[in-house]
Amino acid sequence: MFLISSGNVINLCIMKIIDKALVQTIYKERNEISHKGSHGHSLIIAGSYNKMGASLISAKACLRSGTGLLTVLVPKSEKQTVNIYLPEAMLHFREDLIDFSTYNAIAIGPGLEQNEAAQKLVFSVFLIAKSLVIDADALNILAQNQDWFNDLPENSILTPHPKEFDRLFGEHNSEQERRLTAIKKAKEFNCVIVLKGHKTFITNGIDSFENTTGNSGLAKGGSGDALTGMITSFLAQKYTCLEASILGVYLHGLAADITLKTQSKESMLITDVIENIGLAFQKIQE
Ligand SMILES: NC(=O)C1=CN([C@@H]2O[C@H](COP(=O)(O)OP(=O)(O)OC[C@H]3O[C@@H](n4cnc5c(N)ncnc54)[C@H](OP(=O)(O)O)[C@@H]3O)[C@@H](O)[C@H]2O)[C@@H](O)CC1
Ligand SMILES: Nc1ncnc2c1ncn2[C@@H]1O[C@H](COP(=O)(O)OP(=O)(O)O)[C@@H](O)[C@H]1O
Ligand SMILES: [Mg+2]
């Protein structure tokens, strides 16, 4: 039985549209008198033996979105993988002790796997992180440890696709039902939920938004990993959780729309999209 509270229905009815005009009220021009420390230090905890791509995709999207510094936390065996692909990223290894409190924003989950070591890592980050983007396997681990919602960091953003959403909050019969549950859960846990899909939905439990950019060229592995990196980057640059989610989702989709100038929806790779993030920024700076 799906219970709908009238408040959430009203909230859904007054949902705002994420378009260029709204994004331009949020986006802040980069200060010319700035240095790398001005734009935050992001930490991306992602990747595992056979899913390092998720880490690299998240990391590059994070850098392309303006973070001042980026550190990736990866298995020691993958040190060369990162250094060769992304020399701009600094490294920490999952085998070492890390002071998570030194980062302005942390992302955890893409390609992380769900084994016992990953579960311990996710829980330790929950206890210390100030601003956290929770995606992919970290969401699946959270779904298996529902009491951890009580330890959710104060500035948390969850970025589930529909299947991850249903693992977290139970089976739903429609996108509409998921959106109503997202409003309820965002309010209950005082977090932002980015419900990804053809028209991504964002809510903090009070205000709700629907994105207008993106296309089915994004219906390919890695697209969500890139979004995680982008949202984390904006969080590190001191946007609020809601602002970082709106900026990330809009620019992610806009970069994909720009990519259609050189790729088809079938041929588009998320790495093509990442290379067009700059052009997406220029569109909102016009
Ligand atoms: N290069 C790399 O290293 C990559 C690494 N990656 C990493 O892999 C890990 C697993 O992530 P994942 O999302 O691929 O697996 P999973 O959670 O089982 O979901 C897949 C199933 O969910 C469903 N589904 C998905 N979207 C839906 C939608 N919009 N609407 C409706 N249903 C939808 C659909 O199920 P179906 O309909 O087929 O039953 C689909 O088959 C994760 O850590 C991620 O970061 C990937 O990012 C890829 C690139
Ligand atoms: N048909 C579509 N139209 C627009 N955006 C899409 C479409 N399919 C997927 N996306 C976007 O691509 C991303 C997919 O996320 P996710 O499933 O987590 O990818 P992965 O985990 O493989 O990186 C989301 O941001 C989603 O909004
Ligand atoms: Mg994903």
Side-chain angles (χ1 to χ4, degrees):
M1 173 63 179
F2 187 77
L3 296 176
I4 300 178
S5 88
S6 56
N8 289 341
V9 174
I10 292 165
N11 186 305
L12 201 50
C13 297
I14 56 175
M15 173 179 69
K16 302 176 185 73
I17 294 300
I18 303 175
D19 57 12
K20 183 173 178 181
L22 173 70
V23 165
Q24 287 180 323
T25 65
I26 294 170
Y27 170 70
K28 292 173 279 199
E29 285 280 348
R30 205 168 174 90
N31 181 351
E32 275 314 289
I33 310 167
S34 63
H35 54 84
K36 59 191 167 192
S38 315
H39 307 295
H41 191 166
S42 302
L43 173 68
I44 291 184
I45 305 172
S48 50
Y49 182 65
N50 64 346
K51 289 182 181 161
M52 272 308 292
S55 173
L56 300 174
I57 289 165
S58 297
K60 192 159 195 178
C62 184
L63 283 163
R64 282 271 187 237
S65 300
T67 187
L69 288 168
L70 169 70
T71 297
V72 293
L73 184 67
V74 297
K76 200 159 219 167
S77 59
E78 301 307 324
K79 176 177 177 181
Q80 284 315 326
T81 313
V82 180
N83 281 335
I84 291 164
Y85 180 76
L86 202 59
E88 294 90 349
M90 295 176 284
L91 285 143
H92 268 314
F93 302 115
R94 290 178 58 175
E95 295 81 357
D96 300 340
L97 281 177
I98 314 290
D99 179 3
F100 294 119
S101 65
T102 59
Y103 299 96
N104 301 98
I106 298 177
I108 189 161
L112 197 67
E113 296 296 354
Q114 299 172 41
N115 54 39
E116 193 184 340
Q119 301 218 20
K120 283 183 182 158
L121 180 56
V122 169
F123 188 68
S124 60
V125 171
F126 268 38
L127 294 179
I128 300 176
K130 297 185 288 276
S131 297
L132 185 63
V133 180
I134 308 166
D135 185 32
D137 286 322
L139 291 173
N140 297 325
I141 288 170
L142 179 58
Q144 297 156 30
N145 299 275
Q146 296 272 337
D147 54 320
W148 293 7
F149 271 106
N150 302 321
D151 299 300
L152 218 51
E154 57 185 298
N155 295 304
S156 288
I157 303 170
L158 279 60
T159 60
H161 58 56
K163 192 124 184 179
E164 290 160 342
F165 189 89
D166 287 0
R167 290 182 188 131
L168 281 165
F169 304 126
E171 287 295 318
H172 291 75
N173 298 315
S174 71
E175 178 69 6
Q176 200 77 333
E177 278 189 18
R178 286 192 187 92
R179 290 185 173 192
L180 288 169
T181 299
I183 293 167
K184 177 168 167 267
K185 293 297 181 181
K187 198 180 297 175
E188 182 181 345
F189 298 122
N190 188 30
C191 64
V192 169
I193 294 178
V194 177
L195 175 56
K196 298 182 292 193
H198 176 54
K199 291 288 175 209
T200 291
F201 177 75
I202 299 171
T203 185
N204 63 359
I206 298 161
D207 298 307
S208 297
F209 303 83
E210 181 180 79
N211 189 37
T212 58
T213 59
N215 61 73
S216 61
L218 287 169
K220 195 174 286 181
S223 303
D225 302 329
L227 177 63
T228 293
M230 295 179 74
I231 293 174
T232 306
S233 189
F234 293 121
L235 210 42
Q237 295 171 71
K238 299 184 180 54
Y239 286 101
T240 66
C241 287
L242 198 54
E243 292 170 338
S245 302
I246 290 170
L247 271 181
V249 163
Y250 183 82
L251 288 169
H252 176 258
L254 182 56
D257 293 338
I258 291 167
T259 305
L260 288 177
K261 292 193 174 73
T262 52
Q263 296 294 341
S264 73
K265 291 177 182 177
E266 296 82 4
S267 66
M268 186 188 292
L269 300 178
I270 191 59
T271 43
D272 301 324
V273 175
I274 291 169
E275 291 315 301
N276 286 322
I277 289 172
L279 292 174
F281 270 110
Q282 289 173 11
K283 281 269 183 211
I284 65 169
Q285 293 163 345
E286 283 168 349

